Amino acid sequence: MSEDSIPSGRLSYNDFEIAIKAFLKQSEHHAPWSYVEYPGKGQQLQGYLSMTQLVHSQQPLQRPRTASRSINTEDQQQLNDLEEHFGEIPDDDDDDDGIEPLDLAQEVSHDFLSVAYHIVFSPTYQVPVLYFNAYKPDGQSISLEDIFESLVPEDWRSTIRNAGLNGGISQHDHPILNVPYFYMHPCETVSLMETTFCKQASENSMSFLEGYIASWLSLTGQAIGITLPATLAANNTGSGSLNV
């Protein structure tokens, strides 16, 4: 991509490498993104970005219930014998439904989801694609409906549900890990990025590739819990709206 050409929203894989490594440097003090290598075509090493972080759920998550502890007949007989010897033994677990109280740290932790985000290059669309999975505190993954209810801001749910033919979020096998992941549809990424960079071309000295990932994430990532520092977002996009 030459310096004086009109920016295209499409990227080659080499462009993608430049863009994600520039973003890694920009975000190193703000978010724990890391570069992950994998063998691409012809066993040549390629890479994608990965980050896992806690995201506050948009709705309360169901608290885990701790089963009441049972006691077998032999142990009960031993307790009865001890009571006869020493008097009644206090019961420290004297609660009505067998649920142990959760301390404050546990209560707070159950309001958060652990979300794994991956920024992967799509050779078909020639753009980055945002893959993600979200997990409850007990490690259980959540469904697409739970994604909308717990992760997507309420004001955006209708727009994302009705985007394209199948909605803005779908699930299929991760192109590298080969396990099911959710992903943001990339169909409109090219036009979104071309519009963004045309608007900012005369206002921002940052090159197209250096600002690509931050611009893209500031417009799409916030729909599923990714936030960028105000200074980083402003340096790359100014203002924008989601359009998946």
Side-chain angles (χ1 to χ4, degrees):
M1 183 181 297
S2 63
E3 290 292 331
D4 54 355
S5 64
I6 298 174
S8 166
R10 299 186 189 278
L11 301 177
S12 67
Y13 177 76
N14 287 337
D15 290 336
F16 174 74
E17 278 277 325
I18 294 170
I20 61 175
K21 288 180 179 178
F23 177 70
L24 266 181
K25 186 174 181 179
Q26 296 161 15
S27 62
E28 61 184 344
H29 300 301
H30 306 297
W33 289 100
S34 61
Y35 182 86
V36 181
E37 288 187 332
Y38 67 96
K41 289 184 177 180
Q43 298 302 304
Q44 181 179 0
L45 289 178
Q46 296 183 341
Y48 65 94
L49 295 187
S50 174
M51 177 180 72
T52 299
Q53 67 176 10
L54 294 178
V55 177
H56 192 271
S57 175
Q58 301 288 326
Q59 68 172 1
L61 299 176
Q62 185 177 0
R63 304 305 197 250
R65 295 176 63 90
T66 303
S68 58
R69 287 172 289 185
S70 61
I71 188 168
N72 62 39
T73 305
E74 183 178 346
D75 289 339
Q76 184 62 59
Q77 183 59 52
Q78 290 179 354
L79 284 175
N80 292 340
D81 291 343
L82 286 171
E83 282 188 19
E84 291 180 7
H85 237 351
F86 299 105
E88 184 176 352
I89 299 175
D91 184 359
D92 291 333
D93 299 317
D94 187 18
D95 50 311
D96 293 336
D97 56 5
I99 302 175
E100 295 181 354
L102 295 173
D103 61 27
L104 180 59
Q106 288 175 305
E107 287 286 347
V108 171
S109 70
H110 287 298
D111 288 332
F112 287 83
L113 295 165
S114 176
V115 188
Y117 299 102
H118 294 166
I119 299 175
V120 181
F121 181 68
S122 168
T124 301
Y125 290 96
Q126 296 179 285
V127 293
V129 179
L130 185 57
Y131 287 85
F132 63 98
N133 267 345
Y135 305 90
K136 296 179 181 180
D138 62 2
Q140 179 183 356
S141 59
I142 67 176
S143 66
L144 179 59
E145 185 58 33
D146 286 337
I147 290 288
F148 278 102
E149 295 299 322
S150 300
L151 204 57
V152 178
E154 185 174 1
D155 291 346
W156 292 4
R157 290 173 192 167
S158 178
T159 299
I160 297 177
R161 284 183 191 276
N162 297 320
L165 296 176
N166 300 305
I169 298 175
S170 291
Q171 186 182 48
H172 71 181
D173 283 351
H174 191 290
I176 300 163
L177 303 180
N178 294 317
V179 295
Y181 261 69
F182 294 103
Y183 69 101
M184 299 288 290
H185 275 287
C187 301
E188 300 299 324
T189 299
V190 170
S191 59
L192 175 65
M193 296 307 295
E194 288 176 350
T195 299
T196 298
F197 280 100
C198 282
K199 287 181 178 179
Q200 75 172 82
S202 61
E203 303 173 1
N204 198 323
S205 60
M206 182 172 288
S207 76
F208 172 74
L209 292 180
E210 287 178 329
Y212 192 104
I213 299 298
S215 297
W216 169 68
L217 278 180
S218 69
L219 300 175
T220 60
Q222 56 188 317
I224 53 170
I226 296 178
T227 58
L228 293 179
T231 52
L232 184 56
N235 285 341
N236 289 282
T237 61
S239 59
S241 59
L242 180 71
N243 182 21
V244 293

